[in-house]
Amino acid sequence: MDIKEFLMRMERRETIEGGSELHQFLHVLAQEAMRITSTLNNTYHTREEICQIMTELTGREVDPSFSMFPPFYTDFGKNITIGKHVFINSGCRFQDQGGIVIGDGTLIGHNTVLTTLNHDFSPRRRSSLHPAPVRIGKNVWIGAGVTVVPGVTIGDGAVIAAGAVVTTDVPENTIAGGVPASIIRELTEEELR
């Protein structure tokens, strides 16, 4: 198995059966992610160096406009797509096997958790994993301490209040908050200028 085949299977949302070849490959890639994030998190890096490290981690060119305050954690890394002018604050944790797409101009607050895998509910199959992507639109602001669960899409321009747990899609240009998150209101015309 190679990374291309693995990513295609994640895009198709194939179950990762516990103990399978797919599951074992996932663990090999996790070791690489831990090595790279250890380098990122344990010494000072310039913005340019952070972009280079994130390019190595994701396997995709990260735009020079990208900015991050480490530490940053992921147990995979190869299924993260980052747009231009994205900022990720310190302490964020991305579980990206199922795919994370972050649109241009998005701001992600401290200690945000983005998850893309669920364990099987059956105790006999609990080690099996079900991938589903997280998609974040353009110019989204995610406040500190937010958790986004697998399969959620956050629309362009949305604001997610600090501490929210986002379990369903969030429409564009709205503010969502709470546990579980619900729509608080739409952004006003003045706020959208």
Side-chain angles (χ1 to χ4, degrees):
M1 176 168 310
D2 62 14
I3 187 68
K4 185 177 179 180
E5 180 185 351
F6 182 88
L7 292 173
M8 286 177 16
R9 293 175 79 170
M10 293 302 94
E11 188 174 328
R12 292 192 302 260
R13 296 188 183 196
E14 288 185 25
T15 296
I16 303 169
E17 299 291 342
S20 67
E21 178 188 7
L22 197 58
H23 195 247
Q24 292 169 5
F25 189 71
L26 180 80
H27 283 284
V28 169
L29 293 173
Q31 295 301 311
E32 180 182 356
M34 285 190 283
R35 178 187 60 77
I36 295 168
T37 55
S38 177
T39 298
L40 174 67
N41 295 333
N42 289 311
T43 188
Y44 171 78
H45 298 284
T46 65
R47 181 177 181 161
E48 294 78 17
E49 291 168 336
I50 289 173
C51 287
Q52 290 171 351
I53 293 168
M54 289 300 289
T55 294
E56 179 185 5
L57 178 66
T58 64
R60 295 173 172 90
E61 189 69 32
V62 173
D63 192 81
S65 63
F66 172 74
S67 183
M68 170 188 281
F69 291 168
F72 172 78
Y73 305 95
T74 184
D75 52 2
F76 186 62
K78 298 297 186 223
N79 212 358
I80 302 171
T81 303
I82 301 170
K84 297 178 181 178
H85 304 285
V86 168
F87 173 69
I88 299 174
N89 218 324
S90 64
C92 291
R93 299 173 187 276
F94 291 7
Q95 180 198 49
D96 65 290
Q97 291 88 339
I100 294 173
V101 177
I102 303 169
D104 296 347
T106 289
L107 308 174
I108 299 178
H110 294 87
N111 300 316
T112 291
V113 177
L114 305 179
T115 64
T116 66
L117 292 177
N118 273 323
H119 288 275
D120 201 281
F121 288 149
S122 167
R124 291 185 312 273
R125 294 185 308 273
R126 190 72 40 91
S127 64
S128 293
L129 303 166
H130 303 285
V134 168
R135 293 182 176 92
I136 301 170
K138 295 179 180 179
N139 301 310
V140 171
W141 174 22
I142 297 177
V146 168
T147 297
V148 181
V149 303
V152 167
T153 296
I154 299 173
D156 294 348
V159 176
I160 310 299
V165 176
V166 186
T167 61
T168 59
D169 292 352
V170 176
E172 66 180 28
N173 300 322
T174 59
I175 300 172
V179 179
S182 60
I183 304 307
I184 296 169
R185 67 177 175 86
E186 292 183 11
L187 293 171
T188 66
E189 289 297 320
E190 184 176 316
E191 290 167 331
L192 291 170
R193 290 183 202 177

